[in-house]
Amino acid sequence: MLTLSAFLFLVATLPFVRPHNIRVADQTFWPATIPLAVRSPYFSCWLPMEQNENPLAQWPQFWNYANNISVQTLGREGLVRVDGTTYQWLGSWTQQTQQSGARSVIPAKLTSFQITPTRTILTILAGAMNLNVTFLTPIEPSDWVRQSIPFSYVALEASSNDGQPHDFQVYADISAEWLSANGSSVVNWTTTSTSSIVYHEIKLTSPIPYGEVSGQANDGTMYHAMVNGAGVSFSTGSDESCRNQFQDSGGLNGSLDSDFRPITSNFPVFPFSVGFGSISSTPSPAVWAVGYVRDPVIHYTRPDGTKQSRGPYYRANFSSPMEFVCRSLNIIHFLQIYKK
Ligand SMILES: *[C@@H]1O[C@H](CO)[C@@H](O)[C@H](O)[C@H]1NC(C)=O
Ligand SMILES: *[C@@H]1O[C@H](CO)[C@@H](O)[C@H](O)[C@H]1NC(C)=O
Ligand SMILES: *[C@@H]1O[C@H](CO)[C@@H](O)[C@H](O)[C@H]1NC(C)=O
Ligand SMILES: *[C@@H]1O[C@H](CO)[C@@H](O)[C@H](O)[C@H]1NC(C)=O
Ligand SMILES: *[C@@H]1O[C@H](CO)[C@@H](O)[C@H](O)[C@H]1NC(C)=O
Ligand SMILES: *[C@@H]1O[C@H](CO)[C@@H](O)[C@H](O)[C@H]1NC(C)=O
């Protein structure tokens, strides 16, 4: 309910301003912010649509940023490489690279967007490639198990706008900012790769059960996951090293950072990349899954006054996080929802 009211608050009360320097065809609706992943009050990520700013050069924000009139970034960077030129379809890494002067990542152009109850679809121009990026947070009222699985998906499809094939790679990462608004909190992580799936799991080293800072929980685990297959690569490391690696080589070399540190200390990030080779359109979408898992989720007070910690509903079906991540990433199920 809080999620819904947060959405209504953001959409209903903030001014609808249409920037003048962005040409978005047939766009009569220009909200102050659009949803990217909204699964619970603690897993709620939004893209600010600031006046006169390119939405594809903004850091996604936790919903509370609108209350607190300050940034509460949930680091999430999206890049593609087209014939060796790097374009940004999400995040604000371009700003940093411009400041350092050393590199150029070009913010892509948003040409239109569409918002439905479960998805935000961005249509983007990145040089010779058109991208459709779909942020999907499923609603499955007839299946409580799936409905209780705290995952959200991003699918990227591309086709060339000149009819020619182009060398094409895609990249997306998340930072540890999703775990706490307190940037001094130390996080640790592991990466697991099997023949079917690959995922990063990120935790607070000292979680605070049922604790909150600026509306963000301090007792969750983040997952970033992809179906494993041809062209998929991963790494962990600082924001700069991972993003530069993709920009320089079009992929990630698998090196894993084990220097567990605070969220804002050389910002550790958790990326996946897919190399498609030379294509005129993607044969199937690149799909990233992002999950924010709390267990227990509720401090329940029984009628006799005693307290119980209760787990999420899906625990009835899935015993371990591993099993649950693999099943929730069932690509066939995802595509069924996605194509509806
Ligand atoms: C993007 O979506 C539009 C509208 O559904 C479709 O016409 C177009 O072919 C799609 N483009 C890509 C690259 O998938
Ligand atoms: C933030 O985290 C640091 C390190 O764990 C801790 O010392 C500090 O008290 C925390 N601040 C808040 C506001 O929770
Ligand atoms: C990370 O920290 C948690 C909580 O302290 C601990 O249970 C877990 O074993 C640690 N994981 C790694 C990879 O160090
Ligand atoms: C607003 O953010 C500050 C830190 O920037 C934090 O101390 C405060 O608790 C936040 N307020 C709310 C209402 O979340
Ligand atoms: C992978 O890339 C990183 C960053 O560019 C570099 O520091 C590291 O040595 C590379 N690892 C391997 C195994 O090539
Ligand atoms: C969860 O378990 C119940 C009972 O065994 C079963 O009927 C249901 O299909 C399962 N749901 C999923 C999504 O696996």
Side-chain angles (χ1 to χ4, degrees), residues 204-260:
L204 290 166
T205 304
S206 304
I208 303 162
Y210 306 113
E212 245 186 40
V213 175
S214 296
Q216 273 182 265
N218 270 250
D219 59 358
T221 301
M222 271 316 283
Y223 290 91
H224 197 206
M226 248 193 155
V227 168
N228 213 349
V232 173
S233 62
F234 57 85
S235 265
T236 51
S238 72
D239 51 357
E240 190 172 12
S241 81
C242 291
R243 293 164 190 168
N244 287 355
Q245 216 183 105
F246 175 75
Q247 190 181 358
D248 292 344
S249 69
L252 297 163
N253 67 15
S255 71
L256 299 176
D257 185 340
S258 56
D259 173 19
F260 301 142

Side-chain angles (χ1 to χ4, degrees), residues 79-82 89 124 126 128-134 154-161 163-171 226 230 273-288 335 338-339:
L79 302 169
V80 295
R81 253 179 43 136
V82 181
W89 52 268
I124 293 170
M129 296 299 263
N130 293 340
L131 316 180
N132 282 355
V133 180
T134 303
V154 186
L156 187 152
E157 291 175 287
S159 63
S160 75
N161 49 44
Q164 301 299 311
H166 295 278
D167 198 32
F168 188 66
Q169 299 95 21
V170 302
Y171 168 101
M226 248 193 155
S273 161
V274 187
F276 284 95
S278 183
I279 54 161
S280 53
S281 69
T282 42
S284 60
V287 179
W288 295 267
L335 288 171
Y338 175 60
K339 291 294 174 196

Side-chain angles (χ1 to χ4, degrees), residues 107-237:
K109 287 198 178 104
L110 182 65
T111 52
S112 72
F113 65 87
Q114 194 193 341
I115 300 171
T116 77
T118 56
R119 65 195 82 189
T120 292
I121 304 157
L122 308 181
T123 310
I124 293 170
L125 182 63
M129 296 299 263
N130 293 340
L131 316 180
N132 282 355
V133 180
T134 303
F135 294 86
L136 169 68
T137 302
I139 298 175
E140 302 187 79
S142 59
D143 185 336
W144 289 7
V145 173
R146 286 203 161 111
Q147 182 58 30
S148 75
I149 291 176
F151 268 71
S152 177
Y153 305 87
V154 186
L156 187 152
E157 291 175 287
S159 63
S160 75
N161 49 44
D162 59 5
Q164 301 299 311
H166 295 278
D167 198 32
F168 188 66
Q169 299 95 21
V170 302
Y171 168 101
D173 68 40
I174 58 168
S175 77
E177 289 159 294
W178 293 70
L179 286 172
S180 176
N182 181 352
S184 310
S185 308
V186 176
V187 289
N188 68 22
W189 54 83
T190 56
T191 300
T192 304
S193 177
T194 72
S195 56
S196 56
I197 189 174
V198 55
Y199 65 90
H200 301 296
E201 180 180 320
I202 312 114
K203 293 178 194 254
L204 290 166
T205 304
S206 304
I208 303 162
Y210 306 113
E212 245 186 40
V213 175
S214 296
Q216 273 182 265
N218 270 250
D219 59 358
T221 301
M222 271 316 283
Y223 290 91
H224 197 206
M226 248 193 155
V227 168
N228 213 349
V232 173
S233 62
F234 57 85
S235 265
T236 51

